[in-house]
Coordinates of all heavy atoms in Angstrom, one line a residue:
V1 N -7.5 13.6 19.0 CA -7.9 13.5 17.6 C -6.6 13.6 16.7 O -5.7 14.2 17.0 CB -8.7 14.8 17.3 CG1 -8.1 16.1 17.5 CG2 -9.4 14.7 15.9
R2 N -6.7 12.8 15.7 CA -5.6 12.8 14.8 C -5.9 13.7 13.5 O -7.0 13.8 13.1 CB -5.3 11.4 14.1 CG -4.6 10.5 15.0 CD -4.1 9.2 14.4 NE -3.2 9.5 13.3 CZ -3.2 8.8 12.1 NH1 -4.0 7.9 11.9 NH2 -2.3 9.2 11.2
Y3 N -4.9 14.5 13.2 CA -5.3 15.6 12.2 C -4.0 15.9 11.4 O -2.9 15.7 12.0 CB -5.9 16.9 12.8 CG -4.9 17.6 13.7 CD1 -4.2 18.7 13.2 CD2 -4.7 17.2 15.0 CE1 -3.3 19.4 14.0 CE2 -3.9 18.0 15.8 CZ -3.1 19.0 15.3 OH -2.3 19.7 16.1
L4 N -4.1 16.5 10.3 CA -3.0 17.0 9.5 C -3.4 18.4 8.8 O -4.4 18.4 8.3 CB -2.6 15.9 8.4 CG -1.5 16.3 7.4 CD1 -0.2 16.3 8.1 CD2 -1.5 15.3 6.3
K5 N -2.5 19.3 9.0 CA -2.7 20.6 8.4 C -2.0 20.6 7.0 O -0.9 20.1 6.7 CB -2.2 21.8 9.2 CG -2.5 23.1 8.5 CD -2.1 24.3 9.4 CE -2.4 25.5 8.7 NZ -2.0 26.7 9.5
F6 N -2.8 21.1 5.9 CA -2.3 21.2 4.5 C -1.3 22.4 4.5 O -1.8 23.5 4.7 CB -3.6 21.4 3.6 CG -3.2 21.2 2.1 CD1 -4.0 20.5 1.4 CD2 -2.1 21.8 1.6 CE1 -3.8 20.4 0.0 CE2 -1.7 21.7 0.2 CZ -2.7 21.0 -0.6
D7 N -0.2 22.2 4.2 CA 0.8 23.3 4.0 C 1.6 23.1 2.7 O 1.4 22.2 2.0 CB 1.7 23.4 5.3 CG 2.6 22.2 5.5 OD1 3.0 21.5 4.6 OD2 2.9 22.0 6.7
K8 N 2.5 24.0 2.6 CA 3.3 24.1 1.3 C 4.7 23.4 1.4 O 5.5 23.5 0.6 CB 3.5 25.4 0.9 CG 2.2 26.2 0.4 CD 1.9 25.9 -1.0 CE 2.2 26.9 -2.1 NZ 1.8 26.6 -3.3
S9 N 4.9 22.7 2.5 CA 6.2 22.1 2.7 C 6.4 21.0 1.7 O 5.5 20.4 1.3 CB 6.3 21.5 4.2 OG 5.5 20.3 4.3
N10 N 7.7 20.8 1.4 CA 8.1 19.7 0.4 C 7.7 18.4 1.0 O 7.6 17.3 0.2 CB 9.6 19.8 0.1 CG 9.9 21.0 -0.7 OD1 9.1 21.6 -1.4 ND2 11.1 21.5 -0.6
D11 N 7.6 18.2 2.3 CA 7.3 16.9 2.9 C 5.9 16.6 2.9 O 5.4 15.5 3.3 CB 7.9 16.8 4.3 CG 9.4 16.8 4.3 OD1 10.0 16.3 3.3 OD2 9.9 17.2 5.3
F12 N 5.0 17.6 2.7 CA 3.6 17.4 2.7 C 3.0 16.2 2.0 O 2.2 15.4 2.6 CB 2.7 18.7 2.4 CG 1.3 18.6 2.5 CD1 0.7 18.4 3.8 CD2 0.5 18.3 1.5 CE1 -0.7 18.2 3.9 CE2 -0.9 18.0 1.5 CZ -1.5 17.9 2.9
P13 N 3.3 16.0 0.8 CA 2.8 14.8 0.1 C 3.0 13.5 0.8 O 2.2 12.7 0.9 CB 3.4 14.8 -1.3 CG 3.7 16.3 -1.6 CD 4.1 16.8 -0.2
K14 N 4.3 13.3 1.3 CA 4.7 12.1 2.0 C 3.9 12.1 3.4 O 3.4 10.9 3.8 CB 6.2 12.2 2.3 CG 7.0 11.9 1.0 CD 8.5 11.9 1.5 CE 9.3 11.9 0.2 NZ 10.7 12.1 0.4
L15 N 3.7 13.1 4.1 CA 3.0 13.2 5.3 C 1.4 12.8 5.0 O 0.9 12.0 5.8 CB 3.0 14.6 6.0 CG 4.5 15.0 6.5 CD1 4.4 16.5 6.9 CD2 4.9 14.1 7.7
L16 N 0.9 13.3 3.9 CA -0.4 13.0 3.6 C -0.6 11.6 3.3 O -1.6 10.9 3.8 CB -0.9 13.9 2.3 CG -2.3 13.6 1.9 CD1 -3.3 14.1 2.9 CD2 -2.5 14.4 0.6
I17 N 0.3 11.0 2.6 CA 0.2 9.5 2.2 C 0.4 8.7 3.6 O -0.5 7.7 3.8 CB 1.2 9.1 1.3 CG1 0.9 9.7 -0.1 CG2 1.4 7.6 1.2 CD1 2.0 9.7 -1.1
S18 N 1.2 9.2 4.4 CA 1.4 8.4 5.6 C 0.2 8.5 6.6 O -0.2 7.6 7.3 CB 2.7 9.0 6.3 OG 2.8 8.4 7.7
F19 N -0.5 9.7 6.5 CA -1.6 10.0 7.4 C -2.8 9.2 6.9 O -3.6 8.6 7.7 CB -1.8 11.4 7.4 CG -3.0 11.8 8.4 CD1 -2.8 11.7 9.7 CD2 -4.2 12.3 7.9 CE1 -3.8 12.2 10.6 CE2 -5.3 12.7 8.7 CZ -5.1 12.6 10.1
T20 N -3.1 9.2 5.6 CA -4.3 8.7 5.0 C -4.2 7.3 4.4 O -5.2 6.6 4.3 CB -5.0 9.6 3.9 OG1 -4.0 9.6 2.8 CG2 -5.2 11.0 4.5
G21 N -3.0 7.0 3.9 CA -2.8 5.8 3.1 C -3.3 6.1 1.6 O -4.1 7.0 1.4
F22 N -2.8 5.3 0.7 CA -3.1 5.6 -0.7 C -4.6 5.4 -1.0 O -5.2 5.9 -1.8 CB -2.3 4.7 -1.6 CG -1.0 5.2 -2.0 CD1 0.2 4.5 -1.6 CD2 -0.8 6.3 -2.6 CE1 1.4 5.0 -1.9 CE2 0.4 6.9 -3.0 CZ 1.5 6.2 -2.5
D23 N -5.3 4.5 -0.3 CA -6.7 4.2 -0.6 C -7.6 5.3 -0.4 O -8.7 5.3 -1.0 CB -7.1 3.0 0.3 CG -6.5 1.7 0.0 OD1 -6.0 1.5 -1.2 OD2 -6.5 0.8 0.8
N24 N -7.2 6.3 0.4 CA -8.1 7.4 0.7 C -7.7 8.7 -0.3 O -8.5 9.7 -0.1 CB -8.0 7.8 2.1 CG -8.7 6.7 3.0 OD1 -9.8 6.4 2.8 ND2 -7.8 6.2 3.9
L25 N -6.9 8.5 -1.2 CA -6.5 9.5 -2.1 C -7.0 9.2 -3.5 O -6.9 8.1 -3.9 CB -5.0 9.7 -2.1 CG -4.3 10.0 -0.7 CD1 -2.8 10.1 -0.9 CD2 -4.8 11.4 -0.2
V26 N -7.4 10.2 -4.2 CA -7.8 10.0 -5.6 C -6.6 9.7 -6.5 O -6.5 8.9 -7.3 CB -8.7 11.2 -6.1 CG1 -9.0 11.0 -7.6 CG2 -9.9 11.3 -5.3
I27 N -5.6 10.5 -6.3 CA -4.3 10.3 -7.1 C -3.5 9.4 -6.3 O -3.1 9.6 -5.1 CB -3.5 11.7 -7.2 CG1 -4.3 12.7 -8.0 CG2 -2.2 11.6 -7.8 CD1 -3.7 14.1 -8.2
K28 N -3.0 8.4 -6.9 CA -2.3 7.2 -6.3 C -0.8 7.3 -6.4 O -0.1 6.7 -5.7 CB -2.8 5.9 -6.9 CG -4.3 5.6 -6.7 CD -4.7 5.4 -5.3 CE -6.1 5.0 -5.2 NZ -6.7 5.1 -3.9
N29 N -0.3 8.0 -7.4 CA 1.1 8.0 -7.7 C 1.8 9.1 -6.9 O 1.4 10.3 -7.0 CB 1.4 8.2 -9.2 CG 2.9 8.2 -9.6 OD1 3.6 9.0 -9.1 ND2 3.2 7.1 -10.3
N30 N 2.8 8.9 -6.2 CA 3.5 9.8 -5.3 C 4.0 11.0 -6.0 O 3.8 12.2 -5.7 CB 4.7 9.3 -4.4 CG 5.0 10.1 -3.4 OD1 4.4 11.0 -2.9 ND2 6.3 9.8 -3.0
S31 N 4.6 10.9 -7.2 CA 5.2 12.0 -8.0 C 4.1 12.8 -8.6 O 4.1 14.1 -8.6 CB 6.2 11.6 -9.0 OG 5.6 10.7 -10.0
D32 N 3.0 12.2 -9.0 CA 1.9 12.9 -9.5 C 1.1 13.7 -8.5 O 0.7 14.7 -8.7 CB 0.8 11.9 -10.2 CG 1.3 11.3 -11.5 OD1 2.3 11.7 -12.1 OD2 0.7 10.3 -11.8
L33 N 1.0 13.1 -7.3 CA 0.5 13.8 -6.1 C 1.2 15.1 -5.9 O 0.6 16.1 -5.6 CB 0.4 12.9 -5.0 CG -0.2 13.4 -3.7 CD1 -1.7 13.8 -3.8 CD2 0.0 12.4 -2.6
A34 N 2.5 14.9 -5.7 CA 3.3 16.1 -5.4 C 3.2 17.2 -6.4 O 3.0 18.4 -6.1 CB 4.8 15.7 -5.1
K35 N 3.2 16.9 -7.7 CA 3.0 17.8 -8.7 C 1.6 18.5 -8.7 O 1.5 19.7 -8.8 CB 3.3 17.1 -10.1 CG 3.2 18.0 -11.3 CD 3.4 17.4 -12.6 CE 3.2 18.4 -13.8 NZ 3.3 17.6 -15.0
F36 N 0.6 17.6 -8.5 CA -0.8 18.1 -8.5 C -0.9 19.1 -7.3 O -1.5 20.2 -7.5 CB -1.7 17.1 -8.4 CG -3.1 17.5 -8.4 CD1 -3.8 17.6 -9.7 CD2 -3.9 17.8 -7.3 CE1 -5.1 17.9 -9.8 CE2 -5.2 18.2 -7.4 CZ -5.9 18.3 -8.6
I37 N -0.4 18.8 -6.2 CA -0.6 19.6 -5.0 C 0.1 21.0 -5.2 O -0.4 22.1 -5.0 CB 0.0 18.9 -3.8 CG1 -1.0 17.8 -3.3 CG2 0.2 19.9 -2.6 CD1 -0.4 16.9 -2.2
K38 N 1.3 20.9 -5.9 CA 2.1 22.1 -6.1 C 1.4 23.0 -7.0 O 1.3 24.3 -6.8 CB 3.5 21.8 -6.5 CG 4.4 23.0 -6.7 CD 5.8 22.5 -7.1 CE 6.8 23.7 -7.2 NZ 8.1 23.4 -7.5
E39 N 0.9 22.4 -8.0 CA 0.2 23.3 -9.0 C -1.3 23.7 -8.8 O -1.7 24.9 -9.2 CB 0.0 22.5 -10.4 CG 1.4 22.2 -11.1 CD 1.3 21.3 -12.2 OE1 0.2 20.8 -12.5 OE2 2.3 21.1 -12.8
N40 N -2.0 23.0 -7.8 CA -3.4 23.3 -7.6 C -3.7 23.8 -6.2 O -4.8 24.3 -6.0 CB -4.2 22.1 -8.1 CG -4.1 21.7 -9.5 OD1 -4.6 22.4 -10.3 ND2 -3.3 20.7 -9.7
N41 N -2.8 23.5 -5.2 CA -3.0 23.9 -3.8 C -4.3 23.1 -3.2 O -5.0 23.6 -2.3 CB -3.2 25.4 -3.6 CG -1.9 26.1 -3.9 OD1 -0.9 25.6 -3.5 ND2 -2.0 27.2 -4.4
Y42 N -4.6 21.9 -3.8 CA -5.6 21.1 -3.1 C -5.3 19.6 -3.6 O -4.6 19.4 -4.5 CB -7.1 21.5 -3.5 CG -7.6 21.1 -4.9 CD1 -8.1 19.9 -5.1 CD2 -7.3 21.9 -5.9 CE1 -8.6 19.5 -6.3 CE2 -7.8 21.6 -7.3 CZ -8.4 20.4 -7.4 OH -8.8 20.1 -8.6
V43 N -5.9 18.7 -2.9 CA -5.9 17.3 -3.3 C -7.3 16.7 -2.9 O -8.0 17.2 -2.1 CB -4.8 16.5 -2.5 CG1 -5.0 16.5 -0.9 CG2 -4.6 15.2 -2.9
E44 N -7.7 15.7 -3.7 CA -9.0 15.1 -3.5 C -8.8 13.8 -2.5 O -8.0 13.0 -2.8 CB -9.6 14.7 -4.8 CG -9.9 15.9 -5.7 CD -10.4 15.6 -7.1 OE1 -9.9 14.6 -7.7 OE2 -11.4 16.3 -7.5
I45 N -9.7 13.8 -1.6 CA -9.8 12.9 -0.5 C -11.1 12.1 -0.6 O -12.1 12.7 -0.7 CB -9.6 13.6 0.8 CG1 -8.4 14.3 0.9 CG2 -9.7 12.6 2.0 CD1 -7.1 13.6 1.1
K46 N -11.0 10.8 -0.4 CA -12.2 10.1 -0.4 C -12.8 10.2 1.2 O -12.0 9.8 2.1 CB -11.9 8.6 -0.7 CG -11.5 8.4 -2.1 CD -11.2 7.0 -2.4 CE -10.8 6.8 -3.9 NZ -10.2 5.4 -4.2
T47 N -14.1 10.6 1.3 CA -14.7 10.7 2.5 C -16.0 9.9 2.6 O -16.3 9.4 1.5 CB -15.0 12.2 2.9 OG1 -16.1 12.6 2.0 CG2 -13.8 13.1 2.7
L48 N -16.7 9.8 3.7 CA -17.9 9.1 3.8 C -18.9 9.7 2.9 O -19.9 9.1 2.4 CB -18.4 9.1 5.3 CG -17.5 8.2 6.2 CD1 -18.2 8.4 7.6 CD2 -17.4 6.8 5.8
E49 N -18.9 11.0 2.6 CA -19.7 11.8 1.7 C -19.4 11.8 0.3 O -20.0 12.3 -0.6 CB -19.9 13.3 2.2 CG -20.6 13.4 3.5 CD -19.6 13.1 4.8 OE1 -18.4 13.3 4.6 OE2 -20.2 12.7 5.8
G50 N -18.2 11.1 -0.1 CA -17.8 11.1 -1.3 C -16.4 11.8 -1.5 O -15.7 11.9 -0.5
I51 N -16.1 12.2 -2.7 CA -14.7 12.9 -2.8 C -14.8 14.2 -2.5 O -15.8 15.1 -3.0 CB -14.2 12.6 -4.3 CG1 -14.0 11.2 -4.5 CG2 -13.0 13.4 -4.6 CD1 -13.7 10.8 -6.0
E52 N -14.0 14.8 -1.7 CA -14.0 16.2 -1.4 C -12.6 16.8 -1.5 O -11.6 16.1 -1.5 CB -14.3 16.4 0.2 CG -15.8 16.0 0.5 CD -16.2 16.3 1.9 OE1 -15.7 17.3 2.4 OE2 -17.1 15.6 2.4
K53 N -12.5 18.1 -1.7 CA -11.3 18.8 -1.9 C -10.7 19.1 -0.5 O -11.4 19.5 0.3 CB -11.3 20.1 -2.7 CG -11.6 20.0 -4.1 CD -11.7 21.2 -4.9 CE -11.9 21.1 -6.3 NZ -11.9 22.5 -6.9
F54 N -9.5 18.8 -0.4 CA -8.7 19.2 0.9 C -7.7 20.3 0.4 O -6.8 20.0 -0.3 CB -8.0 18.0 1.4 CG -7.1 18.2 2.6 CD1 -7.4 19.1 3.6 CD2 -5.9 17.5 2.7 CE1 -6.5 19.4 4.6 CE2 -5.0 17.7 3.8 CZ -5.3 18.6 4.8
C55 N -7.9 21.6 0.9 CA -7.2 22.7 0.3 C -6.2 23.3 1.3 O -6.2 23.0 2.5 CB -8.2 23.7 0.1 SG -9.5 23.3 -1.1
L56 N -5.2 24.0 0.7 CA -4.1 24.7 1.4 C -4.7 25.5 2.6 O -5.6 26.1 2.4 CB -3.4 25.6 0.5 CG -2.2 26.3 1.1 CD1 -1.1 25.4 1.5 CD2 -1.7 27.3 0.1
G57 N -4.2 25.2 3.8 CA -4.5 25.8 5.0 C -5.7 25.1 5.8 O -5.9 25.5 6.9
E58 N -6.3 24.1 5.2 CA -7.3 23.3 5.9 C -6.7 22.3 6.7 O -5.5 22.0 6.7 CB -8.3 22.7 4.9 CG -9.1 23.7 4.2 CD -10.2 23.1 3.4 OE1 -10.0 22.1 2.8 OE2 -11.2 23.7 3.1
I59 N -7.5 21.7 7.6 CA -7.1 20.5 8.4 C -7.9 19.3 7.9 O -9.1 19.3 7.7 CB -7.5 20.9 9.9 CG1 -7.0 22.2 10.4 CG2 -7.1 19.7 10.9 CD1 -5.4 22.2 10.6
L60 N -7.1 18.2 8.0 CA -7.7 16.9 7.6 C -7.8 16.1 8.9 O -6.8 16.0 9.6 CB -7.0 16.1 6.6 CG -7.6 14.8 6.1 CD1 -8.8 15.2 5.3 CD2 -6.6 14.0 5.2
I61 N -9.1 15.7 9.3 CA -9.3 15.0 10.6 C -9.6 13.7 10.3 O -10.3 13.3 9.4 CB -10.5 15.6 11.3 CG1 -10.3 17.1 11.6 CG2 -10.8 15.0 12.6 CD1 -11.5 17.9 12.1
E62 N -9.0 12.7 11.1 CA -9.4 11.4 11.1 C -10.5 11.0 12.2 O -10.2 11.3 13.3 CB -8.2 10.4 11.4 CG -8.5 8.9 11.3 CD -7.3 8.0 11.5 OE1 -6.2 8.5 11.9 OE2 -7.5 6.9 11.2
G63 N -11.6 10.5 11.7 CA -12.6 10.1 12.6 C -12.4 8.9 13.4 O -11.5 8.2 13.1
I64 N -13.3 8.7 14.3 CA -13.2 7.5 15.1 C -13.2 6.1 14.3 O -12.8 5.1 14.9 CB -14.2 7.4 16.3 CG1 -15.6 7.4 15.7 CG2 -14.1 8.5 17.2 CD1 -16.7 7.2 16.8
N65 N -13.8 6.1 13.2 CA -13.8 4.9 12.4 C -12.8 4.9 11.3 O -13.1 4.3 10.2 CB -15.2 4.6 11.8 CG -16.2 4.3 13.0 OD1 -15.9 3.5 13.9 ND2 -17.3 5.0 12.9
S66 N -11.7 5.7 11.4 CA -10.6 5.9 10.4 C -11.1 6.5 9.2 O -10.5 6.3 8.2 CB -10.0 4.5 10.1 OG -9.4 4.0 11.3
E67 N -12.3 7.3 9.1 CA -12.7 8.0 8.0 C -12.0 9.4 8.2 O -11.6 9.8 9.2 CB -14.2 8.2 8.1 CG -14.8 9.1 9.1 CD -15.0 8.6 10.5 OE1 -14.4 7.4 10.7 OE2 -15.6 9.3 11.2
F68 N -11.9 10.1 7.0 CA -11.3 11.3 6.9 C -12.3 12.5 6.5 O -13.1 12.1 5.6 CB -10.1 11.3 6.0 CG -9.1 10.4 6.4 CD1 -8.9 9.0 6.0 CD2 -8.1 10.8 7.4 CE1 -8.0 8.2 6.5 CE2 -7.1 10.0 7.9 CZ -7.0 8.7 7.4
Y69 N -12.1 13.6 7.0 CA -12.8 14.7 6.4 C -12.1 16.0 6.6 O -11.5 16.3 7.7 CB -14.3 14.8 7.0 CG -14.3 14.8 8.5 CD1 -14.5 16.0 9.3 CD2 -14.2 13.6 9.3 CE1 -14.4 15.9 10.7 CE2 -14.3 13.6 10.7 CZ -14.3 14.9 11.4 OH -14.4 14.8 12.7
P70 N -12.1 17.0 5.6 CA -11.4 18.2 5.7 C -12.3 19.2 6.3 O -13.6 19.2 6.3 CB -11.1 18.6 4.2 CG -12.2 17.8 3.4 CD -12.5 16.6 4.2
T71 N -11.7 20.2 7.0 CA -12.4 21.3 7.7 C -11.5 22.5 7.7 O -10.3 22.4 7.5 CB -12.9 20.9 9.1 OG1 -13.6 21.9 9.6 CG2 -11.7 20.8 10.1
K72 N -12.2 23.7 7.6 CA -11.5 25.0 7.7 C -10.8 25.0 9.0 O -11.3 24.5 10.1 CB -12.4 26.1 7.7 CG -13.3 26.1 6.3 CD -12.4 26.5 5.1 CE -13.3 26.6 3.8 NZ -12.5 26.4 2.7
E73 N -9.7 25.6 9.1 CA -8.8 25.8 10.3 C -9.5 26.4 11.5 O -9.5 26.1 12.6 CB -7.4 26.4 10.1 CG -6.6 26.4 11.2 CD -5.2 26.9 11.0 OE1 -5.0 27.6 9.9 OE2 -4.2 26.8 11.9
E74 N -10.3 27.5 11.1 CA -11.1 28.2 12.1 C -12.1 27.3 12.8 O -12.4 27.5 14.0 CB -11.5 29.6 11.6 CG -12.3 29.7 10.3 CD -11.5 29.7 9.0 OE1 -10.2 29.4 8.9 OE2 -12.1 29.6 8.0
N75 N -12.8 26.4 12.0 CA -13.8 25.6 12.6 C -13.1 24.5 13.4 O -13.6 24.2 14.5 CB -14.6 24.9 11.5 CG -15.4 25.9 10.7 OD1 -15.8 26.9 11.3 ND2 -15.7 25.5 9.5
F76 N -12.0 24.0 13.0 CA -11.2 23.1 13.8 C -10.8 23.6 15.1 O -11.0 23.0 16.1 CB -9.9 22.6 13.0 CG -9.1 21.7 13.7 CD1 -9.3 20.3 13.8 CD2 -7.9 22.1 14.4 CE1 -8.5 19.4 14.4 CE2 -7.1 21.3 15.2 CZ -7.4 19.9 15.1
N77 N -10.3 24.9 15.1 CA -9.9 25.5 16.4 C -11.1 25.9 17.3 O -10.9 25.9 18.5 CB -9.2 26.9 16.1 CG -7.8 26.5 15.4 OD1 -7.2 25.5 15.6 ND2 -7.4 27.5 14.6
K78 N -12.3 26.0 16.9 CA -13.5 26.2 17.7 C -13.9 24.9 18.4 O -14.3 25.0 19.5 CB -14.7 26.7 16.9 CG -14.6 28.1 16.3 CD -15.7 28.5 15.5 CE -15.6 29.9 14.8 NZ -16.7 30.2 13.9
V79 N -13.6 23.8 17.8 CA -14.0 22.5 18.3 C -12.9 21.8 19.1 O -13.2 21.3 20.2 CB -14.5 21.6 17.2 CG1 -14.9 20.2 17.8 CG2 -15.7 22.1 16.5
Y80 N -11.7 21.9 18.7 CA -10.6 21.2 19.4 C -9.6 22.1 20.0 O -9.2 23.1 19.4 CB -9.8 20.3 18.4 CG -10.7 19.3 17.7 CD1 -11.2 19.4 16.4 CD2 -11.0 18.1 18.3 CE1 -12.0 18.5 15.8 CE2 -11.8 17.1 17.8 CZ -12.3 17.4 16.5 OH -13.1 16.4 15.8
K81 N -9.2 21.8 21.2 CA -8.2 22.6 21.9 C -6.9 21.9 21.9 O -6.6 21.1 22.6 CB -8.6 22.8 23.4 CG -10.0 23.4 23.5 CD -10.0 24.9 23.1 CE -11.4 25.5 23.3 NZ -11.7 26.5 22.3
I82 N -6.1 22.1 20.9 CA -4.8 21.5 20.6 C -3.7 22.4 20.9 O -3.7 23.5 20.5 CB -4.7 21.0 19.2 CG1 -5.9 20.1 18.8 CG2 -3.4 20.3 18.9 CD1 -5.9 18.7 19.4

């Protein structure tokens, strides 16, 4: 399973873009994204269910059809043995 944990590292916005691509993010500009994440501790991700918040400490999972969905870390750890 491919996944990315939301953390406060300076590299996180770049890692997020690399992981999801710009098409799956609501904010498209890299500098706006970094500023928004720093100020709000979440980012909006396009999922099959619509736009969802991906929050600090959560895990973003890539599904088998390249779809993305955020989940709480404790739920992720119950399902996946990484």
Side-chain angles (χ1 to χ4, degrees):
V1 65
R2 285 191 62 215
Y3 67 94
L4 177 68
K5 182 174 180 179
F6 191 137
D7 64 28
K8 294 275 260 181
S9 71
N10 290 334
D11 291 334
F12 179 74
K14 290 178 187 174
L15 293 171
L16 180 63
I17 291 166
S18 175
F19 185 72
T20 64
F22 275 116
D23 290 342
N24 294 299
L25 301 174
V26 174
I27 296 176
K28 302 287 188 200
N29 182 295
N30 191 21
S31 61
D32 290 344
L33 178 65
K35 181 179 177 187
F36 185 88
I37 289 171
K38 185 175 183 177
E39 291 175 356
N40 298 286
N41 292 320
Y42 76 90
V43 65
E44 293 177 319
I45 302 289
K46 294 178 185 175
T47 71
L48 293 177
E49 291 79 28
I51 296 172
E52 293 189 32
K53 285 184 179 180
F54 175 38
C55 300
L56 182 64
E58 291 184 331
I59 306 286
L60 187 65
I61 301 170
E62 181 178 11
I64 59 173
N65 294 314
S66 298
E67 74 279 13
F68 295 96
Y69 53 98
T71 188
K72 302 286 183 204
E73 185 173 14
E74 43 292 352
N75 294 337
F76 178 84
N77 290 334
K78 288 178 185 176
V79 175
Y80 300 100
K81 304 292 182 212
I82 306 286

